[in-house]
Amino acid sequence: MNGLSEQMRALGPARLAAIAGVAVALIGLVIFFATRLTSEPYELLYSGLEQADAQSIVQTLEAQNIPFQLANNGTEILVPASSRDRMRLETAEQAVGGSASVGYEVFDNSSALGSTNFIQNVNLVRALEGELARTIRSIDDVRHARVHLVLPKREVFSRETLEPSASVVVATGGRTLDASQVVAIQNLVAAAVPKMTTQRVSIVDESGAMLTRGMDEDGSMAALTQDEMRRAEEQRLARAIETLLSRTLGPGRVRAEVTASMNFDRVVTNEELFDPDTQVARSTVTIEENASSQDQEPSPVTVGQNLPEGQFNQEGGAGSQTNESRTEETVNYEISRTVTNSVRESGVVDRLSVAVLVDGKRPTGADGTPTYEARTEEDMEKITALVRSAIGYDQQRGDQLEVINMEFADLDSMFAEEEPWMFMGFTKDEIMRMAEGLGVAIVAILVILLVVRPLVTKAFESLPSGADGGATGLLSAEAAGAPQLPGPVTAPVPIGLGDEDMEDLDELIDIEKVEGRVKASSLRKIGEIVDKHPEEALSIVRNWLYQDA
């Protein structure tokens, strides 16, 4: 230990500081790479977050002491892989904006004693708005939503009653809500507020576009604009063609485009038709009359009529009898009548222009690679017939149809995912991790060989040789306070060696190189010490003998 401490003191503070700095840097480098290799990888927790939602999630992660990383201007949050699934469950409501809106939980922490009626009404509106916003956010393609309700109070002594209204702002992230989703949101808000009608609900997207344009009073979608109806009809026909042909040709092997010319004139037709052939007896009246009358002429006046029995024996004059019969029948018939009132408000297709592009066959060649083969004329005629039936082709209307067979670009080969690179059963990530570890080892070895070793070697070369140091220590221990022996000022020459002997010795040293030089220097120094201090040398030898004994 004394020899080591002497060597450390001989190095000096500057060299010791340099060696210590290199050692600390080497240890830090090893710790850094070791930590990097053993640290858990980070995985994406959420992306595309709003600032308020990201702030709420970050606060939750900090409260639970879970490390995280922010990326893409704070819209993406990464957490360790082991904590990703658990944190997704715990922060699911915050990720969809649940923390930004307040629901009925606003009443959980409020005290009924210190709150006024006004505060209770305001909290009720806030809670209703928050609950509606949460429900709307659960719809597909809706990333964020805000609801504003106006619930007027009936004024005292007022006959007029104001209707409640609502405004809804939805953020879709560049997507478009279809008509059914807009109607669903409108009816959802109207049904949640008493006495609110659907036409009093306005829905606006993040770009400021009015989504409830063209609503009827009953809340249903009114007639869309002409362009929207035309595009809807074109898309319907195109989907019908692609769906029909894809079942035979295969998915992605057919592409259809339809251009429709439509008439959107509003037509009102009132029609009344009478059919005389279809008579129906509505009523029948029958009248029958029978009349009978008898007339007789009076007898002449005679004397016998004045006798007492004369009036009984008289005979009447000539007479006549009349019978009369009459029958009358009246039948009322109803003629069949048809009354038609028709109003046409939807568009009518005037002409269709349809273009269908069909891919050819792709049989597999002998070498296993697919080859392109055009379809036959018979196949193209069958495909054309199917398309005519699918779109309701009408030649008199002026419809145009083109079905062409062309080779499609092979998207599978163009955008196919490359197979993961493997080497001896190891993936690229595993090989990179092993390469990082190997790199750390190589850097450490190079630092030791090229930095630490030269510094240590240079530091120890400037010290006295080991023999000189050992002899000095023994002399110090033996002399016990005697003055130290001074070192040689010039290179000593052993006694009894002449110039020729010195030359021979130098040649020997040259032959032995480094070891010869060290041995020759040690012998010269020892010989000089023994010649100058024979008594101290004798004491050292005795001390060695006693130690061996």
Side-chain angles (χ1 to χ4, degrees), residues 1-6:
M1 292 297 293
N2 292 331
L4 179 61
S5 60
E6 289 293 336

Side-chain angles (χ1 to χ4, degrees), residues 116-261:
T116 62
N117 188 25
F118 174 77
I119 295 177
Q120 292 290 336
N121 292 333
V122 171
N123 289 336
L124 177 61
V125 175
R126 289 180 59 196
L128 187 57
E129 291 176 349
E131 293 295 334
L132 286 173
R134 291 177 181 176
T135 305
I136 294 173
R137 281 194 294 268
S138 63
I139 300 175
D140 292 340
D141 299 335
V142 177
R143 295 178 54 189
H144 187 70
R146 292 196 65 182
V147 180
H148 303 279
L149 298 178
V150 178
L151 305 178
K153 293 183 179 180
R154 182 176 180 178
E155 299 295 337
V156 182
F157 305 110
S158 177
R159 295 182 179 180
E160 297 181 357
T161 303
L162 299 178
E163 296 181 357
S165 60
S167 300
V168 182
V169 180
V170 295
T172 59
R175 301 179 181 178
T176 303
L177 297 178
D178 56 19
S180 60
Q181 290 177 316
V182 175
V183 173
I185 296 174
Q186 195 178 30
N187 285 271
L188 172 67
V189 177
V193 180
K195 298 182 180 180
M196 180 179 287
T197 58
T198 53
Q199 65 266 22
R200 301 285 294 175
V201 179
S202 300
I203 303 176
V204 184
D205 62 5
E206 71 270 27
S207 62
M210 189 71 176
L211 302 181
T212 54
R213 171 176 47 85
M215 292 290 180
D216 285 337
E217 294 184 357
D218 58 353
S220 60
M221 290 293 292
L224 302 177
T225 62
Q226 296 181 3
D227 291 338
E228 291 174 346
M229 292 185 64
R230 179 179 55 80
R231 285 195 298 267
E233 182 66 15
E234 292 173 352
Q235 293 176 1
R236 185 187 68 83
L237 294 175
R239 286 196 301 268
I241 296 172
E242 294 178 353
T243 303
L244 178 62
L245 297 181
S246 295
R247 297 183 178 275
T248 303
L249 306 180
R253 297 297 180 88
V254 60
R255 186 74 174 89
E257 290 291 338
V258 179
T259 301
S261 176

Side-chain angles (χ1 to χ4, degrees), residues 208-405:
M210 189 71 176
L211 302 181
T212 54
R213 171 176 47 85
M215 292 290 180
D216 285 337
E217 294 184 357
D218 58 353
S220 60
M221 290 293 292
L224 302 177
T225 62
Q226 296 181 3
D227 291 338
E228 291 174 346
M229 292 185 64
R230 179 179 55 80
R231 285 195 298 267
E233 182 66 15
E234 292 173 352
Q235 293 176 1
R236 185 187 68 83
L237 294 175
R239 286 196 301 268
I241 296 172
E242 294 178 353
T243 303
L244 178 62
L245 297 181
S246 295
R247 297 183 178 275
T248 303
L249 306 180
R253 297 297 180 88
V254 60
R255 186 74 174 89
E257 290 291 338
V258 179
T259 301
S261 176
M262 302 181 68
N263 184 7
F264 295 95
D265 296 338
R266 188 173 185 269
V267 179
V268 179
T269 303
N270 296 324
E271 185 178 7
E272 185 174 357
L273 300 177
F274 295 91
D275 188 3
D277 296 334
T278 57
Q279 298 179 357
V280 178
R282 182 177 182 181
S283 62
T284 302
V285 178
T286 303
I287 301 175
E288 293 183 359
E289 293 181 358
N290 295 319
S292 178
S293 62
Q294 185 177 3
D295 296 332
Q296 186 176 3
E297 294 179 357
S299 61
V301 177
T302 61
V303 177
Q305 295 179 345
N306 294 322
L307 294 177
E309 297 179 354
Q311 58 182 352
F312 297 104
N313 297 325
Q314 63 180 355
E315 296 179 358
S320 63
Q321 183 176 359
T322 304
N323 293 324
E324 182 179 356
S325 176
R326 184 175 67 90
T327 301
E328 181 181 352
E329 182 177 3
T330 303
V331 180
N332 295 324
Y333 290 95
E334 188 71 25
I335 300 176
S336 177
R337 183 182 64 173
T338 303
V339 179
T340 304
N341 296 323
S342 62
V343 178
R344 191 189 68 192
E345 294 183 350
S346 60
V348 178
V349 177
D350 288 341
R351 186 171 59 87
L352 292 177
S353 298
V354 182
V356 181
L357 187 61
V358 179
D359 191 14
K361 299 179 181 179
R362 296 183 180 273
T364 304
D367 55 352
T369 58
T371 58
Y372 177 77
E373 180 181 343
R375 297 187 180 274
T376 61
E377 293 294 335
E378 183 180 358
D379 293 341
M380 296 303 298
E381 290 178 359
K382 293 180 179 179
I383 294 173
T384 304
L386 290 175
V387 175
R388 286 198 183 99
S389 300
I391 65 175
Y393 180 81
D394 188 356
Q395 187 176 2
Q396 296 180 355
R397 192 172 55 185
D399 294 349
Q400 295 180 357
L401 174 61
E402 293 290 340
V403 181
I404 300 176
N405 179 210

Side-chain angles (χ1 to χ4, degrees), residues 49-57 59-60 91-106 125-135 137 143-148 169 171:
L49 295 172
E50 299 291 337
Q51 292 184 354
D53 301 338
Q55 180 183 5
S56 177
I57 295 175
Q59 292 176 356
T60 303
T91 59
E93 183 179 1
Q94 300 172 356
V96 296
S99 60
S101 58
V102 180
Y104 287 117
E105 65 271 11
V106 70
V125 175
R126 289 180 59 196
L128 187 57
E129 291 176 349
E131 293 295 334
L132 286 173
R134 291 177 181 176
T135 305
R137 281 194 294 268
R143 295 178 54 189
H144 187 70
R146 292 196 65 182
V147 180
H148 303 279
V169 180

